[in-house]
Amino acid sequence: MKTIYLDLPMGAAGDMLSAALFELLDEDEKKSFLNEINNAGIPGVEVCAQPSVKCGITGTHFKVVVDGQEEESHDHHHEHEHHHEDPTPPSTGSGTVGTAGHEHEHNHSVVPEPVEGHHHHHASLHDIEHLVGDLKVSDFVKKNVLEVYNLIAQAESHAHGKPVTEIHFHEVGTMDAVADITAVCMLIEMLGAQKILASPINVGSGQVHCAHGILPVPAPATAFILQDIPSYNNQIKGELCTPTGAALLKHFVTSFGNMPQIKINKIGYGMGKKDFEAANCVRAILGQTEDSLEDVIEFTCNLDDISAERIAFAMEALFTAGAIEAYTIPVTMKKSRPGHLLCVMCLESKKQEILNTIFKHTTTLGVRENISRRYFLDRKIETLQTEFGPVRVKLAQGYGVSRSKLEYEDLAEIARKTGKSISEIERAINFSCK
């Protein structure tokens, strides 16, 4: 299976993610991509890929020029209004630092309308939707750009206690950030990976300056987006993960954890602008993984003093909390008591939530944990247009096997309306699809 793994020891920003993915293309594809992004219709924007070296590693820095100026090169002159970066370099250990080389990510707050003549674009979500709708890119790219922006808008709305309609973007609404997000979506479409995985995210530490004062790292909007995503800091001073980087990762990455078994084909390094003791980069690895294999956690516990009704409620709560599977097995416990063995499977990212749910909704005093390797068929759902109306069909494939099954709930609803049996409906749909 074609897989991309993103290694994020120095966090993530839109320009670093796009540069890392860009390096996974072959030379002809790189030329094609730069031509497409520069002719996509983003007002005043020009994108170029520059060689960059960090700690002896050669990678790519994405330079985004808006109306002839690179964003970070002149933001210092407008810090009084909206800048999200302390002019003191991180190496001074000042404790109030800005972005760690994530050039286009400077502020995460709601702002007033821009001062006349100011070069920034303070855009509403409606403005972004209008702009993206006019871009000369595929429907796939437009759809994903808007979904990423919606994640950011929801985070800003929550952080500032304002409706999404009142959010005006300082940083993510500027044309350079539009270019970053569009570039990532275009590159993911070009690479055609079937699965995107990532490491836990280093968010950095310390504080950042913004229009409303000094905020902790990660900034409130970033922290909101990163809910349910494994993250940490290793005392590097600075904002390593930005709202744009967090939103792109949350939207595209299916699982966060250690790098799986992968046959590596290409490695790309997307560089930030600042220098640290550690290489300031995102590393993207493109390769082949086995047909759908992942590590899962299996929790088990014995229950002998709980009613059937409470077990049923606990099972419902476990699936809501993110369990992959949950079931019970009748067992005979100590003193020959009849009981139940509760088994719950989940991904590492859901571990704590599942544990809390087990202890909250059952009577167990202890839970056992095992790590298992789970092999499974790739699954997706499509919709068939039939004589009875739309019916979903579940498709599964992998390991040389391909299967399909009509969605039971849709068949049952048609049976209730028509008086036909489910078998009759299945035969009619299968016959019409031949």
Side-chain angles (χ1 to χ4, degrees):
M1 176 182 295
K2 193 174 186 181
T3 300
I4 294 173
Y5 181 78
L6 300 171
D7 192 18
L8 309 169
M10 293 297 287
D15 59 324
M16 295 171 74
L17 287 167
S18 54
L21 294 169
F22 174 80
E23 286 216 328
L24 300 178
L25 301 176
D26 62 33
E27 292 307 314
D28 288 340
E29 289 174 328
K30 289 178 180 178
K31 292 176 184 177
S32 175
F33 166 78
L34 289 173
N35 180 64
E36 288 179 26
I37 189 72
N38 283 316
N39 289 282
I42 306 173
V45 165
E46 182 180 355
V47 178
C48 65
Q50 299 178 327
S52 178
V53 178
K54 300 291 179 186
C55 298
I57 300 172
T58 300
T60 295
H61 164 63
F62 255 20
K63 181 179 180 181
V64 179
V65 174
V66 183
D67 296 327
Q69 291 182 296
E70 186 177 11
E71 179 69 8
E72 193 182 40
S73 63
H74 54 275
D75 263 351
H76 295 292
H77 304 298
H78 303 283
E79 189 175 334
H80 64 280
E81 180 186 322
H82 58 80
H83 194 47
H84 197 111
E85 179 162 359
D86 192 323
T88 304
S91 58
T92 64
S94 65
T96 52
V97 297
T99 56
H102 311 323
E103 293 71 71
H104 314 306
E105 317 282 347
H106 301 303
N107 195 289
H108 320 295
S109 54
V110 179
V111 298
E113 290 302 312
V115 176
E116 185 176 355
H118 197 284
H119 71 273
H120 274 280
H121 299 260
H122 297 111
S124 67
L125 188 59
H126 177 74
D127 295 329
I128 298 297
E129 290 170 350
H130 181 75
L131 169 64
V132 173
D134 290 338
L135 293 182
K136 299 172 186 176
V137 295
S138 69
D139 289 340
F140 171 91
V141 173
K142 290 180 181 180
K143 173 179 178 291
N144 284 280
V145 171
L146 291 177
E147 288 176 357
V148 171
Y149 262 103
N150 188 61
L151 284 175
I152 299 168
Q154 295 294 337
E156 294 287 1
S157 173
H158 181 270
H160 300 288
K162 293 179 178 290
V164 169
T165 53
E166 294 181 19
I167 296 298
H168 283 75
F169 299 102
H170 251 314
E171 162 263 317
V172 292
T174 54
M175 294 304 102
D176 59 293
V178 173
D180 286 340
I181 295 173
T182 303
V184 170
C185 295
M186 289 175 63
L187 288 162
I188 285 175
E189 182 180 38
M190 290 181 71
L191 289 165
Q194 296 164 280
K195 182 163 42 175
I196 301 175
L197 310 174
S199 70
I201 305 168
N202 186 1
V203 297
S205 65
Q207 298 171 318
V208 285
H209 285 298
C210 75
H212 296 280
I214 297 174
L215 298 177
V217 171
T222 305
F224 182 84
I225 295 170
L226 291 177
Q227 290 180 110
D228 299 325
I229 295 177
S231 56
Y232 65 97
N233 82 68
N234 62 353
Q235 303 308 311
I236 292 177
K237 295 292 185 180
E239 182 191 37
L240 300 186
C241 186
T242 65
T244 301
L248 285 164
L249 292 169
K250 186 159 193 171
H251 180 65
F252 284 112
V253 175
T254 56
S255 180
F256 293 83
N258 295 329
M259 188 173 78
Q261 275 189 312
I262 183 169
K263 183 179 179 181
I264 298 175
N265 301 130
K266 288 187 178 180
I267 301 176
Y269 292 89
M271 303 304 195
K273 204 164 190 179
K274 297 195 176 202
D275 293 315
F276 294 88
E277 292 182 5
N280 185 22
C281 65
V282 165
R283 178 165 63 177
I285 297 171
L286 177 66
Q288 295 290 327
T289 55
E290 297 182 36
D291 287 348
S292 297
L293 163 66
E294 64 187 1
D295 289 341
V296 295
I297 295 174
E298 287 186 286
F299 291 123
T300 59
C301 62
N302 292 9
L303 305 171
D304 68 349
D305 55 351
I306 183 172
S307 68
E309 292 89 349
R310 288 188 62 185
I311 289 178
F313 186 84
M315 300 285 275
E316 181 182 332
L318 286 165
F319 282 115
T320 301
I324 296 172
E325 184 60 278
Y327 56 93
T328 60
I329 301 172
V331 294
T332 301
M333 298 173 58
K334 61 184 179 182
K335 300 181 180 179
S336 298
R337 296 173 182 169
H340 301 274
L341 174 65
L342 173 64
C343 304
V344 186
M345 292 192 298
C346 69
L347 298 177
E348 175 70 31
S349 60
K350 296 293 183 180
K351 175 179 178 177
Q352 195 58 52
E353 192 172 353
I354 293 297
L355 270 177
N356 292 344
T357 303
I358 292 174
F359 282 116
K360 180 177 181 179
H361 294 292
T362 75
T363 55
T364 189
L365 301 179
V367 176
R368 301 177 293 277
E369 174 186 331
N370 291 292
I371 306 297
S372 300
R373 302 188 72 184
R374 176 175 176 252
Y375 300 84
F376 56 94
L377 300 181
D378 291 321
R379 287 156 286 184
K380 64 179 179 179
I381 296 177
E382 295 182 354
T383 300
L384 296 176
Q385 297 301 325
T386 75
E387 61 182 284
F388 305 105
V391 175
R392 290 169 293 174
V393 57
K394 298 176 180 177
L395 303 173
Q397 62 181 9
Y399 298 96
V401 173
S402 180
R403 297 174 185 163
S404 64
K405 182 180 180 181
L406 298 172
E407 173 59 52
Y408 166 78
E409 294 296 341
D410 293 355
L411 297 177
E413 183 63 24
I414 294 169
R416 295 186 190 102
K417 291 179 178 178
T418 63
K420 296 178 179 291
S421 71
I422 289 178
S423 295
E424 287 178 297
I425 297 166
E426 280 183 313
R427 285 195 296 270
I429 293 174
N430 290 329
F431 179 79
S432 65
C433 291
K434 289 182 180 180

